[in-house]
Amino acid sequence: MSDLPPESAQLEPLIGTWKGQGHGDYPTIESFDYLEEVSFSTIPTKPFLVYTQKTRHAGTGAPLHTEAGYVRSVAPGRVELTIAQPTGIVEVHSGTIEDGVFAFVSDRVVTTPTAVDVSACTRTITVTADVLSYVFAMEAVGEPLTKHLTARLGRV
Amino acid sequence: MSDLPPESAQLEPLIGTWKGQGHGDYPTIESFDYLEEVSFSTIPTKPFLVYTQKTRHAGTGAPLHTEAGYVRSVAPGRVELTIAQPTGIVEVHSGTIEDGVFAFVSDRVVTTPTAVDVSACTRTITVTADVLSYVFAMEAVGEPLTKHLTARLGRV
């Protein structure tokens, strides 16, 4: 049992710290590999999880990306996700949960004046007892919705 | 000297952990007092600060709000801010820095389908060596831009 209120128990499979490796590509960039650490944690009585993420270069260990946000339980099988990125991008998503798959589709992606143009994205997270994997696709810089990141992380 | 790259040194005054007390009111709610802890931290070589925040009820200590995001240095005297809230709200801001005052005005506030309607906000943070104070105003639920939160925090 976690600190989640009972009506938000559907978020429990995500709770924990997850580490592993990912791969990024996109039509406009060179592909790359990265190391990643993800955490989903609770705040007692609150119907959401705190999400944090950090990646490092697979070769040099240099910090690459980081982002933070919240997964919020809104109804059985229904979730919402908010994310802020230091690159000037924020996302709000509506999502579903089914058979361990959290499937988020952006309602809106909004950027600061100096950020790269990202107009939509999807985040599909599949979680079992010990493995969290995800696919991140985005519509950006004139490209249609295209897979950008995939990763497979193990429970720490 | 911090881990910030030289061109982002204007963010240095914010770096640290800050604790203190705040007060909230709005035309549509009862006023309330809260305890708050704020952190602005660096990631080596990155031109931004990681922002996290938590508040608790001043009387009971129960967790109230939390949010997270990033302050990004974009040019001398110019900053951007991204924020995600677990209540289904995200914000992107453009801002200025002058005489220790970080003045952010939202470019966009976007909400998930189930969130409270917030359409704009300002965040004005004043920082000296030992005190960080802020005023948060928002345009929400049909009200014009109106002060909602004020707090005064000391460096931990």
Side-chain angles (χ1 to χ4, degrees), chain B residues 18-97:
Chain B
W18 306 85
K19 272 190 186 176
Q21 193 149 358
H23 180 77
D25 46 28
Y26 205 67
T28 57
I29 61 168
E30 272 190 61
S31 66
F32 61 99
D33 294 309
Y34 57 91
L35 307 174
E36 180 166 26
E37 181 167 339
V38 162
S39 164
F40 289 100
S41 60
T42 55
I43 295 178
T45 76
K46 295 294 188 181
F48 59 80
L49 300 180
V50 179
Y51 164 65
T52 62
Q53 183 260 24
K54 278 187 188 177
T55 63
R56 291 180 293 122
H57 188 280
T60 66
L64 292 177
H65 183 69
T66 189
E67 61 189 27
Y70 304 92
V71 182
R72 178 189 193 201
S73 179
V74 295
R78 307 291 304 182
V79 277
E80 294 178 344
L81 173 66
T82 56
I83 289 191
Q85 300 189 35
T87 45
I89 299 169
V90 297
E91 307 167 25
V92 295
H93 293 254
S94 293
T96 55
I97 310 176

